[in-house]
Each structure stands twice: as C-alpha cells, then as structure tokens.
Amino acid sequence: MHVRTYLRRGLAVAAVAVIAIGVAGCGKAKQAGGGSGGEKLSVDKGFKIGILLPESKTARYEKFDHPFLAADIKKLCPKCTIEYRNANQDADTQRQQVDAVLAAGAKVLILDSVDYKSIKSSVQKANDQGVKVIAYDRLAQGPISGYSSFNNVDIGKQQGEAFLKAISAKGSPKRGKVILVNGSPDDPNAPDFKKGMHSVLDGKVNVGAEYDTQDWSPDQARQEVAGAISKVGKKNIIGVYAANDGMAGGAIAALKAANVTPLPPVTGQDAELAGIQRILTGEQYATIYKSIKPQAQAAAEMAVDVATGKKWTGSSDKVNNGTVSVPAKIVPATTVTVDNIESTVVKDGYWKPSEICTAKYKADCAKAGIK
C-alpha cells in the first residue's frame, strides 16, 4: 500500500514537472518573438513573408504595389521568400488566403484588406500564431503591428479643393448641382476621403446626388451618374467628384452617353494611366498622385523588423485602429492637373512619357510639355 502511494506521488510530481517545463517553454516562445512557434528569425537565414493585396481592377496593385514590396523585401532580406495573394475584391477569398499563407509558413504578413472589419478575425488568428501583421494602405482592425499609408482625410481635402477650384472657374459654385461619387463603404479609407472632401465643399456647393459605390466599381459609378443625370437634368450639372480614377472614368462615360456638353469638371485619385490621359485631353480635371515607393518601402521595413524582433524606427507617427496604437508611415500626396504631370508622375518615373504619349495623345503631351 505504501509502495502504491509513493508511486502515485512520484507520478504526480513527474506530471507537475512536465507541465512546468511546458509552461516555461511557452513563456520562452512568447519572449523570443519573431515568428510562430517561438523560433528566432533572422535575415541571415531568411523566412517567408506574406503579401495580401485587395484587388486588381485598380492598376496600382499589380503594376506598382506588388513589385515594389517584393523588391524592397529582397533588398532587406535576400534569403526571404514571398507568399503573394490578390483577393480580387472578395473579402471571403482574402480570409481564405490569409489561412493559406499562414499554412504555407509565413512568419509576417503585409495586408491590404478588402474589408477592414471582417478581416479582424484573420488578423487575430495570425497574431495568435505569433505572426505579426502590417496593415498596408487600409487600416485593418485587430492586433496589427504597424501601418503604412497616406493621410486620407487630407487627400479628401485635396480632392475637394481641386474640385471647388475647377467648378468655380466659370462662376459661382452654387450656380448648379454637383454629383458626389464616394468610394466603397467597406474600405476604411473611403469615409476619410469623404470626410475631407465634405469639409471643403459643405455649404459651398449644391449637391444634386451622392453615392457610396460598392467595390469602387467603375460600372456602378457609371450607372449612378446616369441616374443622377436623369434626376438633376444634364444642363444643371456643373461637376462630378469621383473618389478615384476608375469611377471618374465611369462618370465621364455616363456624361458622354447623355451628350452632356461641354463636359463638366471631373476629379479622381490614384494617377492611373487612363486618368492622366483624360487629364491631358481635358475630360478629367485632376487626380491625386500617391507615391507608392516610400509606402511600400516602409511596409517592407516594418515587416522585416517586427519578424526579427526589432523596433521599427522609420517614423515617429502613430495610428490607432480601435484595438492598438502602432507605428505608422504616413506618406504625403500631390494633386495632379495638366499643369504638373511632367513634374510629378513623369519625373518620379511612375509613368513613362512613352506610356502616356501614345499616338492618340501625342499632340496633348506636346501641349503639356511632356517629352
């Protein structure tokens, strides 16, 4: 009987020892930082980095963001590999892509969310696995570790100021009606653009119609503006504010289809090639140029630093997403009209003259001084 008692006591002590070792191991894993499972990550050995972008309709993501991010990661961590996904504007797809990238062994994520609210559970899942998340361009909810983007309220103000200047060139901005085409309600940047724009325009213009456009869809924007033309009357429209260049294109298509002449001022954002070319011809008044190189560079630096347990010190800016306050890189943006295409998007190499000045636009390029 005494022997069995001692055996039971011995087994109990052994079990406690095993549990203590396990707890100690877990504590060390959390302290080590830099990746799931507590392993110590290093640039010398390399590791996997996930890049998750929201869509491909807007030209910037595949032409600029993805290659810039990949190039900057390779400079900072030559042995690192990249798991890349594009969600094509589908929030469910993006959540599945996060799962796939985590399963593939990514140790840190650079995430531009389709839906900043619904992605919160995926951010939490990554964090629970010891995988840090850098929010890119759009401020995702959840326990992120950094953010690289632009001051989106200021961008909205810039858009509003350019729009007000354009519609005021021929008289009072209250002489007719304006149509406002805002971005997608599931994009956290869209309310900020809208807020900034309204801070400039409220009380100074008469709004004939206003829309929040799901998925930033140019086709939907075209339908919205067509409906607004019917509602307001084409002779009463003195301008269309569009939150990005894709929707500006849709708005212009609707104005043309309704034979609105001359075309009223239309503004956009993103300095897309088609938008720049429309500015050259006078169909679009302005766009907003956001320099993606410094944005991508900061995100790549943040990702490598947080994965390897370092503190990113590239900026003193901070943002709060409702869950945490994190370091941020906030890049300034520039309003582009026909007068400064050469000194902005061309000078920075964002678009080459050969890309802008195709046969259809050669004469307009010459007028604008683009060589």
Side-chain angles (χ1 to χ4, degrees):
M1 186 160 179
H2 291 299
V3 173
R4 282 197 296 272
T5 300
Y6 287 138
L7 281 172
R8 283 197 298 271
R9 286 177 180 172
L11 288 169
V13 170
V16 170
V18 168
I19 291 168
I21 291 169
V23 170
C26 289
K28 286 180 182 176
K30 289 207 180 253
Q31 291 170 9
S36 57
E39 70 226 80
K40 185 68 177 175
L41 303 177
S42 72
V43 169
D44 291 337
K45 292 181 180 179
F47 47 91
K48 281 187 179 180
I49 298 176
I51 299 175
L52 298 112
L53 298 182
E55 49 106 344
S56 54
K57 280 186 179 180
T58 305
R60 59 169 285 189
Y61 291 112
E62 294 301 329
K63 182 170 176 59
F64 299 113
D65 295 88
H66 178 202
F68 286 169
L69 286 165
D72 284 322
I73 287 168
K74 282 300 178 185
K75 285 179 190 173
L76 296 164
C77 184
K79 292 186 179 178
C80 282
T81 57
I82 293 169
E83 287 286 332
Y84 174 67
R85 303 288 190 279
N86 189 304
N88 290 314
Q89 203 59 57
D90 189 299
D92 290 335
T93 296
Q94 189 167 65
R95 288 192 294 272
Q96 292 165 11
Q97 288 175 340
V98 171
D99 290 344
V101 167
L102 291 174
K107 305 304 181 187
V108 62
L109 308 182
I110 297 172
L111 171 68
D112 191 344
S113 59
V114 174
D115 184 328
Y116 72 109
K117 291 180 180 178
S118 68
I119 201 65
K120 182 177 181 179
S121 61
S122 296
V123 174
Q124 185 65 59
K125 182 183 291 186
N127 189 70
D128 291 345
Q129 294 181 26
V131 176
K132 306 290 187 183
V133 177
I134 304 301
Y136 181 76
D137 202 57
R138 301 172 183 177
L139 188 58
Q141 291 189 351
I144 60 172
S145 296
Y147 177 56
S148 182
S149 189
F150 303 87
N151 186 322
N152 297 309
V153 174
D154 279 355
I155 287 175
K157 288 179 181 178
Q158 289 175 263
Q159 290 178 305
E161 287 162 359
F163 185 64
L164 186 62
K165 180 179 179 180
I167 64 173
S168 300
K170 292 184 179 180
S172 167
K174 285 193 169 184
R175 68 188 184 278
K177 304 278 190 180
V178 299
I179 301 167
L180 308 179
V181 183
N182 301 305
S184 187
D186 55 11
D187 180 339
N189 295 348
D192 286 343
F193 299 143
K194 185 177 178 179
K195 179 181 178 181
M197 174 269 293
H198 272 287
S199 74
V200 174
L201 298 184
D202 284 358
K204 297 175 184 174
V205 300
N206 294 317
V207 179
E210 182 170 9
Y211 306 93
D212 293 327
T213 309
Q214 190 66 41
D215 296 337
W216 298 85
S217 168
D219 291 337
Q220 186 173 334
R222 179 175 181 166
Q223 293 170 18
E224 289 165 349
V225 173
I229 293 168
S230 298
K231 173 186 173 183
V232 175
K234 64 182 182 180
K235 291 182 179 179
N236 298 319
I237 296 170
I238 62 168
V240 180
Y241 161 89
N244 78 351
D245 289 340
M247 296 193 303
I252 290 166
L255 292 166
K256 285 182 172 181
N259 295 313
V260 178
T261 55
L263 285 174
V266 179
T267 60
Q269 179 185 181
D270 289 329
E272 288 196 352
L273 180 58
I276 295 295
Q277 290 170 331
R278 287 193 298 266
I279 290 171
L280 281 170
T281 64
E283 291 183 345
Q284 183 171 324
Y285 176 73
T287 187
I288 300 293
Y289 168 48
K290 301 184 293 188
S291 184
I292 295 168
K293 278 186 179 180
Q295 181 192 16
Q297 182 180 350
E301 289 172 357
M302 288 179 190
V304 172
D305 282 354
V306 300
T308 55
K310 295 178 183 176
K311 182 180 179 182
W312 182 75
T313 56
S315 170
S316 60
D317 292 328
K318 292 268 188 181
V319 297
N320 192 303
N321 70 347
T323 303
V324 288
S325 181
V326 296
K329 174 69 174 179
I330 305 300
V331 181
T334 305
T335 301
V336 176
T337 66
V338 71
D339 297 324
N340 66 341
I341 293 172
E342 170 71 28
S343 63
T344 54
V345 294
V346 173
K347 183 179 177 182
D348 283 3
Y350 194 76
W351 295 113
K352 298 174 185 176
S354 60
E355 293 174 306
I356 299 170
C357 304
T358 56
K360 182 179 177 181
Y361 302 99
K362 277 192 182 296
D364 295 307
C365 281
K367 280 185 192 176
I370 301 173
K371 302 173 183 176

